[in-house]
Amino acid sequence: MYLNCMKHLVKEEQYQKTKAIVVKFGEPGGTGELLQKKLLERSEKTYNWVYDYWLEDMYLNQRLALPVNSNPAMVFPKQNFKDRKDSLRFAAHLITGVLEYKERIDTRVLPVDFARGQLAGTPLCMKQYYRLFNTYRLPGHKRDTLIIHKPGSTEQEHIIVACKNQFFVLDLVVNKKKLKEMDILTQLEKIVKMAENSEERQPPFGLLTSDGRTEWAQAREVLIKDSVNRESLAVIEKCLCVLCLDNPSGMEVGDTSRALLMLHGGGHEKMGANRWYDKPMQFIVGEDGVCGTVCEHSPFEGIVLVACTEYLMKFMTGSPSKMGRATSVSELPTPARLLWKTTPHIQDLLKASAERLQRLVRDLDMDVHKFEVYGKEFIKKQKMSPDAYIQVALQLAFYRCNGRLVSTYESASIRRFHEGRVDNIRSATSEALAFVKAMTDEKASLSVSHFSYLVPQILGYSHYTVHHAITGLGIDNHLLGLREIAQELKMERPEIFTDETYVASNQFILSTSQVPTTVEMFCCYGPVVPNGYGCCYNPQSDHLLFSVTSFHGSTETCSAVFIKALDEGLVEMRDLCRKSNKPQSSAALAASKAVVNNQGAGSKLPSTLQKTGK
Ligand code: COA
C-alpha cells in the first residue's frame, strides 16, 4: 500500500529504487519480518502499541513554535459587548461553564461518544476528554513532556488570567467554598484594575512560550534558577486553563482576522504575549468581541475540543448567567499577580522570542472562506461521501495551483481503539491524479466521461477510510511503529526509512482535517511544512467552510489563489454531477459498482481500482 500511495508522487527512477528497498525489507526472514514480530510482541504488552510512538513523533519531538505550527484554534461567533464589563460578564459565564464541564469529567458522567458518519454506532474511547484540563506540555531540550495531573487534584483549583501580558491567579475555591459566577466576575474586575497599574507591571513572559521548543526549554532553564520564577511557573503549570482577556486588537473584525488573533494573537505588539501557549485549554475573550480558544494539541484532537466548546456555547446561550450577590463568597482575597525576576540575559531572551513570533505572524497567509453554492446535503444526494468529495476537490485545487499532487494528510479518527488518536488518509491517490488531470487538461470538454473518473475515486477513497484508516489498518501508524521499534532495538535505521520516498511521504504539503461543528464556530490551524497548506474544513448542510493557511515566505503557495481554485473546482464538480444525473451516467454507475464489488472482500484499494477498466 505504501508503494501504491507513493508511485505517482515521486519520479519513476526513485520509485524503482524504493520498490527494491521495500521488497528487500519484506523478504521472508528479513528486517521487516523481525520488526513486525517485535511490534506484535509490543501490542501484547500495551493497550495501544502506537500511542506513545505517535505522541512523540507527532508532537513531543517537534521543535517548532506552538503557535501556528501546532496549536489549533476554535473561533467562536463574534460577540457584541457593550463595554469591558460586558466582556467580563461573558468571561465569568464561560468559566462557570468550564467548571460545570470539568465537574462532568471528574464525576465521569460524560456520555460515551459513538461514531457518526462512516461505520456509525461504534463506541469511542473517551480518554482524550480526561486530558482537557489536567495536562501541560513542558518544553524539553530534545523532547517535550506531557504532564498529566491526577483528575480532581486539589492542586488544580485555580485558573490563570492573562491581562495586558500580566498573569494572575484566580482561585476557584476560597475557604473550601467554590466561587460562584458573581465572585468570578468580581475577581476578574479586580484583575483588570490591577493589570492597569503600570508601576507593578511585569515583563511579558508569555512570549517565551511562543518560541521554538528548544529555545523555550533553554530559557526556562535560565528562569528556574530563581525561586520567584520557579514558583510562578509551578502555578501556571498546574492551572485548569488560561483565560486571556484581550484588549481590542485594532484589526478590522472579520473571519480571517479573528482566526489570526486566535492562532498567534497578532504578535507581541498586539495580543501575542497575552498567552501561555503550553497550556492545552486557553480561552480568549477580547473586548472587541473576538473570542475563542487556542489549544496545545498533544492531549486531544479537534473533535473532542469541538464537543467541549459546543457544550460551553450551549451553556452560554441556554443557561442564564447567575449573578445574584446573595450566594457569593463574602471575603474574596485579591487575586495574586505572578511575579518574575528578570536579568539582562532574560530580557534578551524575551526580545529574541518577540522577534521570532513577529516573523511567524508576518509569514502567515490565512484565508477563511465560506463556499455557499452548496453543502453536504447536495453531495449526499449524489450518493457520495461528503468527506471524500471535499478531499477530491482539495486535490483538484492543489493540482490546478501547482500542476502536481503531493503527499496529503487527512486525519482519520481511530478512537474506536483504546487510547486511539488518528491515522492518516492519504488522499493524493493515483485515481485522484487521473481525475484532476482529466478535469484540468480536458476542461473544455467537461463531459459525463469525467464522472466515471470521479465516482470510483470517491467510492475508493471512502472505502480506504472505512476499511483501513479508521479501523486501525492505515499505513502511517504501522510504518511509524516499525521505524520506532527498530530504534528501540538500537538497530541501524532500515533503508526503507532513510529512503528519499519515505522522507517525501512524510512531508505533508497538504495537511487537511475535517472538523465539523453543530453550532456557529470554526476550527483553524497552520501549515505543517514551509511550502505547504493547512486546510481545515467544516461541512454544513448548505455550505462548506474552509480555513486555508500557508506561508507568504513560500513562492509555491498562496491561500487566496488556492481558495479560488477550490471554489471553481467545487462548482465544476457540481456541474459534472448534474450532467451525470441524466440517463447516460449508467457507464459511470457500472464502473462504481465494479469498485464496490471488488473492494467488498477487503482487497487493497489501488489495485482494485485499476480493475475498473478506466
Ligand atoms: N451516500 C450518501 N451519504 C453518504 C455516503 C454516500 N455514499 N457516504 C457517506 N454519507 C453520509 C454519512 O452517512 C454521513 O451522514 P450523517 O451526516 O447523517 O452522519 C455523512 O454523509 C458524512 O459522512 P462522510 O462525509 O463520509 O464522512 P464521515 O463523517 O464519516 O467522516 C472522517 C470521515 C474520516 C472525517 C471521520 O471518520 C473522522 O475520522 N473524523 C475525525 C477527524 C479528526 O479527527 N479531525 C480532527 C483532527 S484534529
Side-chain angles (χ1 to χ4, degrees):
M1 281 167 75
Y2 166 60
L3 288 176
N4 278 322
C5 285
M6 294 309 295
K7 188 175 191 316
H8 52 290
L9 303 183
V10 293
K11 292 205 171 88
E12 179 58 24
E13 197 185 329
Q14 174 59 35
Y15 174 74
Q16 290 306 335
K17 192 177 153 216
T18 303
K19 195 173 165 190
I21 293 171
V22 171
V23 168
K24 190 163 167 248
F25 183 77
E27 272 170 1
T31 314
E33 205 173 278
L34 169 75
L35 297 179
Q36 177 69 5
K37 186 171 158 274
K38 294 286 172 193
L39 203 52
L40 286 170
E41 282 168 20
R42 179 181 163 86
S43 79
E44 292 295 316
K45 289 184 259 167
T46 49
Y47 273 123
N48 185 320
W49 55 267
V50 80
Y51 175 70
D52 291 339
Y53 290 160
W54 177 90
L55 186 68
E56 283 169 10
D57 184 67
M58 188 67 124
Y59 295 111
L60 305 180
N61 288 343
Q62 301 300 327
R63 303 290 81 203
L64 289 178
L66 295 183
V68 179
N69 301 306
S70 183
N71 287 14
M74 192 62 76
V75 185
F76 292 171
K78 157 90 174 63
Q79 304 297 312
N80 293 309
F81 299 134
K82 289 199 288 288
D83 48 28
R84 178 63 137 180
K85 175 134 189 184
D86 205 18
S87 73
L88 296 185
R89 267 192 220 106
F90 178 91
H93 201 30
L94 180 72
I95 295 302
T96 310
V98 168
L99 296 178
E100 196 178 285
Y101 195 72
K102 166 89 177 23
E103 178 96 15
R104 290 168 74 86
I105 293 174
D106 289 345
T107 53
R108 300 225 158 210
V109 297
L110 277 186
V112 171
D113 287 345
F114 285 84
R116 297 186 65 240
Q118 307 271 11
L119 292 188
T122 327
L124 304 175
C125 175
M126 296 295 286
K127 263 242 154 119
Q128 292 178 38
Y129 286 91
Y130 297 97
R131 295 187 180 152
L132 278 165
F133 297 106
N134 61 341
T135 44
Y136 184 84
R137 177 160 165 184
L138 194 68
H141 290 271
K142 290 200 170 130
R143 174 182 297 165
D144 291 0
T145 307
L146 182 63
I147 294 177
I148 305 176
H149 299 287
K150 268 202 195 124
S153 150
T154 49
E155 284 193 325
Q156 268 208 297
E157 288 179 339
H158 64 280
I159 65 166
I160 295 294
V161 181
C163 187
K164 288 189 185 280
N165 307 338
Q166 310 291 291
F167 296 92
F168 299 87
V169 186
L170 199 169
D171 285 316
L172 299 164
V173 179
V174 173
N175 298 333
K176 295 191 181 154
K177 273 194 183 162
K178 284 184 189 168
L179 260 58
K180 303 272 188 246
E181 193 171 323
M182 182 66 202
D183 302 320
I184 296 173
L185 175 62
T186 306
Q187 297 299 68
L188 292 179
E189 284 175 327
K190 285 186 205 163
I191 285 171
V192 168
K193 244 200 190 123
M194 287 166 79
E196 270 156 17
N197 180 347
S198 54
E199 276 168 30
E200 288 181 24
R201 194 158 291 164
Q202 301 286 304
F205 270 69
L207 276 175
L208 297 174
T209 69
S210 75
D211 213 333
R213 300 309 289 169
T214 305
E215 287 82 354
W216 170 210
Q218 286 162 349
R220 192 177 177 282
E221 210 164 77
V222 177
L223 253 59
I224 57 172
K225 287 188 179 139
D226 187 283
S227 63
V228 172
N229 296 335
R230 255 197 325 270
E231 278 164 34
S232 292
L233 286 170
V235 176
I236 296 179
E237 287 161 13
K238 283 185 195 125
C239 73
L240 284 181
C241 64
V242 177
L243 169 67
C244 308
L245 301 175
D246 277 9
N247 287 342
S249 70
M251 287 161 82
E252 204 175 303
V253 177
D255 285 351
T256 301
S257 62
R258 288 188 301 134
L260 286 170
L261 284 167
M262 290 306 123
L263 282 181
H264 57 45
H268 71 93
E269 284 160 0
K270 293 195 163 65
M271 297 301 126
N274 204 40
R275 306 277 184 272
W276 199 270
Y277 286 102
D278 296 357
K279 186 64 199 165
M281 285 303 267
Q282 186 162 224
F283 296 98
I284 292 151
V285 177
E287 202 180 328
D288 52 5
V290 177
C291 300
T293 147
V294 59
C295 300
E296 198 291 292
H297 208 338
S298 63
F300 48 81
E301 300 304 332
I303 301 299
V304 167
L305 175 65
V306 168
C308 171
T309 46
E310 288 200 346
Y311 177 93
L312 296 175
M313 285 295 105
K314 285 174 192 159
F315 173 87
M316 303 283 289
T317 48
S319 76
S321 145
K322 296 184 191 97
M323 290 292 181
R325 259 237 173 260
T327 52
S328 68
V329 174
S330 50
E331 298 267 318
L332 287 172
T334 306
R337 182 198 299 259
L338 290 181
L339 302 176
W340 304 103
K341 270 277 171 59
T342 183
T343 61
H345 178 42
I346 293 176
Q347 289 292 358
D348 286 347
L349 292 172
L350 284 168
K351 207 166 146 231
S353 297
E355 277 165 15
R356 281 191 282 267
L357 176 63
Q358 215 57 24
R359 243 177 275 154
L360 195 58
V361 168
R362 274 197 300 268
D363 205 13
L364 186 64
D365 174 7
M366 170 138 213
D367 208 327
V368 178
H369 176 66
K370 192 170 174 182
F371 174 79
E372 292 181 290
V373 181
Y374 58 91
K376 71 172 177 175
E377 287 312 314
F378 167 79
I379 307 171
K380 280 186 334 198
K381 278 196 191 119
Q382 312 310 307
K383 303 209 179 338
M384 293 186 194
S385 144
D387 188 66
Y389 184 102
I390 294 167
Q391 282 293 328
V392 174
L394 292 172
Q395 293 299 319
L396 181 58
F398 190 90
Y399 184 79
R400 285 188 172 168
C401 294
N402 299 72
R404 64 184 176 131
L405 292 191
V406 286
S407 279
T408 304
Y409 187 98
E410 183 198 355
S411 33
S413 174
I414 46 170
R415 282 177 60 213
R416 282 166 176 79
F417 300 91
H418 184 72
E419 297 255 24
R421 293 292 297 263
V422 284
D423 204 337
N424 179 10
I425 305 171
R426 290 183 167 266
S427 45
T429 60
S430 54
E431 292 73 25
L433 183 60
F435 171 70
V436 300
K437 272 187 171 166
M439 285 292 279
T440 308
D441 305 341
E442 305 154 29
K443 197 172 164 185
S445 65
L446 188 69
S447 75
V448 73
S449 69
H450 291 92
F451 198 62
S452 60
Y453 284 101
L454 176 65
V455 174
Q457 158 57 21
I458 288 183
L459 286 176
Y461 176 83
S462 40
H463 174 84
Y464 181 87
T465 303
V466 173
H467 292 278
H468 297 287
I470 62 174
T471 44
L473 297 171
I475 61 165
D476 284 61
N477 281 345
H478 189 194
L479 284 169
L480 173 71
L482 295 170
R483 191 189 80 195
E484 291 305 296
I485 209 125
Q487 176 141 337
E488 258 177 36
L489 294 170
K490 302 204 170 18
M491 283 167 63
E492 196 184 324
R493 191 168 264 213
E495 206 181 356
I496 189 172
F497 302 121
T498 56
D499 178 36
E500 208 177 285
T501 303
Y502 182 74
V503 176
S505 77
N506 281 291
Q507 291 281 311
F508 294 111
I509 293 178
L510 197 49
S511 164
T512 72
S513 186
Q514 181 188 147
V515 184
T517 60
T518 61
V519 302
E520 189 201 332
M521 60 166 112
F522 63 91
C523 182
C524 56
Y525 55 83
V528 297
V529 290
N531 58 338
Y533 287 105
C535 181
C536 191
Y537 53 96
N538 183 349
Q540 295 291 319
S541 303
D542 60 350
H543 69 269
L544 310 169
L545 194 81
F546 295 95
S547 309
V548 173
T549 50
S550 58
F551 290 118
H552 289 297
S554 166
T555 52
E556 295 167 36
T557 55
C558 171
S559 298
V561 170
F562 186 85
I563 288 279
K564 188 167 177 290
L566 186 59
D567 236 25
E568 288 170 2
L570 281 165
V571 169
E572 286 172 32
M573 282 168 70
R574 178 206 57 185
D575 293 346
L576 193 56
C577 291
R578 280 188 174 161
K579 271 189 192 169
S580 312
N581 282 337
K582 293 181 185 142
Q584 68 266 42
S585 67
S586 54
L589 283 176
S592 65
K593 272 184 190 157
V595 174
V596 174
N597 291 338
N598 282 334
Q599 289 174 350
S603 50
K604 291 191 176 75
L605 163 72
S607 56
T608 52
L609 279 172
Q610 281 158 14
K611 286 184 205 156
T612 63
K614 279 193 281 94

